[in-house]
Amino acid sequence: MNKNKLITFLSLTTGAAVSISTINKYIQIHATNKNLLENTNALCYKWRLGNIHYTKTGNGKPLLFIHDLNSISSGFEWNLLVHVLSKHFTVYTIDLLGCGRSEKPNITYTNYLYVQLISNFIQSVIGKRTDIITCRSSASIALMACSSNPELFNRILLINPDSILTCSKIPGKSAKLYKFILDLPILGTLIYHISTSKKVIQDLLVKEYFENPFSIKRILLDEYYESSHLGDSPKSAFSSITCHYTKCNIINALKKIDNSIYILGSKHIQGMYERLKEFQEYNPAIEIGMIEKGLYSPQLEHPEEILSAIEMYLSD
């Protein structure tokens, strides 16, 4: 390549990089300018890897909600349950590191990292044995944390947990390559923004989260969209989750746990009953129940049914 062609190539490359960087910045500003997730009553736990956003409401025995381990998720997913349950419990919601309103450092996120976060949070902030309620992929975090530190946990309720096989996935060559690309400062950020566009999030809500797409409110879509774009490096958790760095084989933990575990599964998710029975195979003491309405987010679509199940399970 001669000198003139090299200069032209470098100029075009630099121009493209500047343009993409400008687009990335615009997307982030546009996604977060409504401040829908701002909460004047929010608290901050200064953890060693970053500040953790959480809320505390009510009086009584401690109850901690852990949202789905997804870069679009945060503690707001439990808002429809908190007010009712706070009449009987001290209810905590937490935004996991890399998610929602918590800090989002540019690091690789692992299951062990989140296990340490939950254990440290209970020790430092709650200070008592705690009841836990999780949704979907955060189930493995609660189970691994309970297996390591059973004295911190009381009862555990899992809503639509990932299958044991899904929990056990490990990063392969293609996943590691994809993470490398996602971690690139400009191109990786653009791919992330495409992967968390409003259209993509809306399709996810329609296909997986809600049974009735007409029950999805516009503000909920905007909240998910904002949650996925807050912070310094929102793509970092996304790349780790997507490429299976947060997965962990939970079989030994399941066998070891002596705490009370109750698992709720949505009836209309294909294979859910078989999934729950597989959990019981490794720990016969686990109780299971089926949710008659909704898909992966019944706490948002049918909170009354989830509240009924929670109140029944956690009643003394």
Side-chain angles (χ1 to χ4, degrees), residues 103-306:
E103 280 198 56
K104 301 179 179 180
N106 184 15
I107 60 175
T108 296
Y109 295 77
T110 65
N111 185 275
Y112 180 73
L113 179 150
Y114 287 117
V115 166
Q116 290 296 301
L117 169 58
I118 295 303
S119 299
N120 292 162
F121 183 82
I122 294 174
Q123 287 175 322
S124 302
V125 177
I126 300 177
K128 297 178 182 178
R129 291 190 69 185
T130 302
D131 291 324
I132 304 290
I133 298 179
T134 76
C135 179
R136 207 168 181 176
S137 56
S138 60
S140 65
I141 300 171
L143 292 173
M144 295 300 293
C146 181
S147 174
S148 299
N149 300 286
E151 72 282 357
L152 300 177
F153 297 84
N154 193 21
R155 297 162 293 187
I156 299 175
L157 193 157
L158 312 175
I159 301 173
N160 291 323
D162 285 342
S163 68
I164 292 176
L165 179 61
T166 298
C167 291
S168 302
K169 289 182 178 178
I170 59 173
K173 289 183 179 179
S174 59
K176 291 178 180 178
L177 175 60
Y178 186 43
K179 187 177 186 303
F180 171 78
I181 295 172
L182 286 170
D183 288 341
L184 294 174
I186 298 175
L187 177 60
T189 302
L190 179 63
I191 294 173
Y192 173 73
H193 285 158
I194 294 171
S195 301
T196 54
S197 67
K198 268 194 179 181
K199 179 63 168 61
V200 171
I201 294 174
Q202 183 176 29
D203 288 345
L204 180 66
L205 297 182
V206 169
K207 294 176 182 178
E208 294 189 23
Y209 283 39
F210 283 74
E211 184 180 18
N212 178 9
F214 296 104
S215 63
I216 303 173
K217 297 179 180 179
R218 179 73 184 188
I219 190 172
L220 179 66
L221 174 60
D222 289 341
E223 287 171 335
Y224 273 116
Y225 186 54
E226 180 178 306
S227 177
S228 65
H229 289 83
L230 290 170
D232 292 336
S233 185
K235 69 173 183 178
S236 295
F238 173 83
S239 67
S240 296
I241 294 166
T242 303
C243 299
H244 311 315
Y245 284 81
T246 57
K247 303 295 185 183
C248 181
N249 190 319
I250 62 172
I251 291 176
N252 288 333
L254 271 178
K255 293 178 178 179
K256 178 181 176 183
I257 292 173
D258 194 35
N259 299 63
S260 175
I261 301 175
Y262 186 50
I263 308 180
L264 284 173
S266 292
K267 179 180 179 181
H268 297 290
I269 297 176
Q270 186 175 5
M272 180 55 72
Y273 180 72
E274 291 74 18
R275 183 185 304 184
L276 303 194
K277 292 297 290 184
E278 187 179 14
F279 276 81
Q280 278 189 323
E281 288 178 13
Y282 293 105
N283 189 329
I286 292 176
E287 299 177 76
I288 63 174
M290 300 304 292
I291 306 166
E292 294 297 323
K293 302 176 183 177
L295 292 178
Y296 274 110
S297 292
Q299 72 272 23
L300 291 170
E301 188 173 12
H302 300 287
E304 68 288 342
E305 186 170 357
I306 297 300

Side-chain angles (χ1 to χ4, degrees), residues 24-38 100 104 193 198 222-231 234:
N24 287 336
K25 189 65 177 176
Y26 171 79
I27 292 173
Q28 185 172 30
I29 292 173
H30 176 70
T32 59
N33 61 5
K34 294 182 181 179
N35 293 320
L36 295 173
L37 300 182
E38 187 175 0
K104 301 179 179 180
H193 285 158
K198 268 194 179 181
D222 289 341
E223 287 171 335
Y224 273 116
Y225 186 54
E226 180 178 306
S227 177
S228 65
H229 289 83
L230 290 170

Side-chain angles (χ1 to χ4, degrees), residues 18-89:
V18 171
S19 297
I20 295 173
S21 180
T22 302
I23 292 170
N24 287 336
K25 189 65 177 176
Y26 171 79
I27 292 173
Q28 185 172 30
I29 292 173
H30 176 70
T32 59
N33 61 5
K34 294 182 181 179
N35 293 320
L36 295 173
L37 300 182
E38 187 175 0
N39 187 340
T40 55
N41 296 318
L43 301 169
C44 177
Y45 167 48
K46 296 184 181 299
W47 195 46
R48 57 186 177 84
L49 292 179
N51 292 338
I52 303 300
H53 176 286
Y54 74 97
T55 64
K56 177 183 178 182
T57 312
N59 294 287
K61 293 182 178 180
L63 171 62
L64 173 62
F65 282 107
I66 307 175
H67 62 79
D68 182 21
L69 184 52
N70 188 316
S71 63
I72 70 172
S73 299
S74 72
F76 79 84
E77 295 178 354
W78 304 108
N79 285 352
L80 298 178
L81 309 182
V82 170
H83 176 69
V84 176
L85 292 172
S86 63
K87 297 175 183 178
H88 308 287
F89 299 90

